Amino acid sequence: MARSRDPETKPKKGLSRRDFLSRSAGLAASTPLVTGMGLAVPSGPAADVKILGPEKVPITLRVNGTTQTLNVEPRVTLLEALRDYLDYTGAKNVCDRATCGACTVIMNGKAVYSCAILALEAQGKDIVTVEGLSTGGKLHPIQAAFVEHDAQQCGFCTPGFVVASKAFLDRNPNPSMEQIEKGLGGNLCRCGTYVGIRQAVLTAAKAAKGGQSNG
């Protein structure tokens, strides 16, 4: 007959799982943070660093050629400042994590995700939104090309694609279809109108070149 095991009399070897977890938790709580080969010593902010917030602070943004002053909390993104404070609602808040491109604006000539940039960081930069592309009530050629090729459905991605296309053509005015596809890879269309979008960009490039394209 097999002998029963008595937990009270059986010698214990090492730590039980419960003892190990409880001791590890206590050790972690009492051990200072290790960074590299040394210890991270808590210290106050450097004397020469200006701390902003959490209250609102005044900032100045130059949007579509107009300089505007507003008061925002330091955590406010450029997208939020444009939409909620300045009423430029063309850029859309869709993914809010710099993935879809619906919030694209041009900053100092470069297409950027405005949801990933703090409004504070955009000060002193030239910002162009989709509202700033048309002049005198006349559509920009890339906007007209989007209409011509029906390059939109629900419309949420359209402003971002239009702005991204403008920035793309500014640096590559005579692109091939393959270059267009790669150049607009940072923008997503859930409706799948990529064919119309790419054709619109090719048409706008062709019109700018007097009818000549590299398609």
Side-chain angles (χ1 to χ4, degrees):
M1 184 174 65
R3 284 188 263 177
S4 62
R5 296 182 180 179
D6 184 353
E8 299 297 328
T9 58
K10 188 178 186 306
K12 295 182 179 181
K13 296 182 180 181
L15 295 173
S16 68
R17 181 174 179 273
R18 178 175 296 179
D19 289 339
F20 173 77
L21 292 175
S22 62
R23 292 191 186 186
S24 297
L27 180 63
S30 61
T31 303
L33 176 66
V34 178
T35 304
M37 297 301 292
L39 299 179
V41 181
S43 60
D48 58 344
V49 175
K50 183 179 180 181
I51 304 299
L52 297 176
E55 66 279 357
K56 292 183 177 181
V57 296
I59 66 170
T60 300
L61 297 178
R62 182 172 174 79
V63 183
N64 299 330
T66 301
T67 300
Q68 302 192 56
T69 300
L70 56 157
N71 293 314
V72 300
E73 295 178 17
R75 65 182 178 85
V76 169
T77 65
L78 175 58
L79 175 61
E80 292 169 333
L82 291 172
R83 290 182 58 84
D84 301 336
Y85 290 80
L86 300 178
D87 203 28
Y88 291 108
T89 57
K92 299 294 186 284
N93 186 2
V94 178
C95 73
D96 201 28
R97 58 191 63 190
T99 300
C100 71
C103 68
T104 302
V105 301
I106 298 174
M107 189 167 71
N108 280 1
K110 181 180 180 181
V112 298
Y113 297 129
S114 59
C115 74
I117 299 172
L118 293 176
L120 289 169
E121 299 174 314
Q123 294 187 97
K125 311 290 178 60
D126 286 320
I127 302 163
V128 179
T129 70
V130 69
E131 291 92 342
L133 296 186
S134 60
T135 55
K138 183 179 180 180
L139 293 177
H140 185 278
I142 188 63
Q143 293 174 308
F146 265 66
V147 174
E148 177 185 347
H149 291 280
D150 197 20
Q152 62 280 316
Q153 285 193 36
C154 76
F156 268 85
C157 75
T158 305
F161 261 109
V162 168
V163 173
S165 299
K166 167 67 166 59
F168 170 73
L169 289 177
D170 284 346
R171 68 176 185 273
N172 189 353
N174 192 29
S176 65
M177 187 63 79
E178 182 180 357
Q179 290 171 330
I180 294 172
E181 181 177 353
K182 183 177 181 180
L184 299 181
N187 290 66
L188 303 177
C189 174
R190 295 186 65 179
C191 298
T193 58
Y194 294 108
V195 173
I197 291 170
R198 293 164 188 162
Q199 190 59 51
V201 176
L202 195 65
T203 296
K206 183 178 179 180
K209 283 292 184 180
Q212 299 297 319
S213 72
N214 191 31

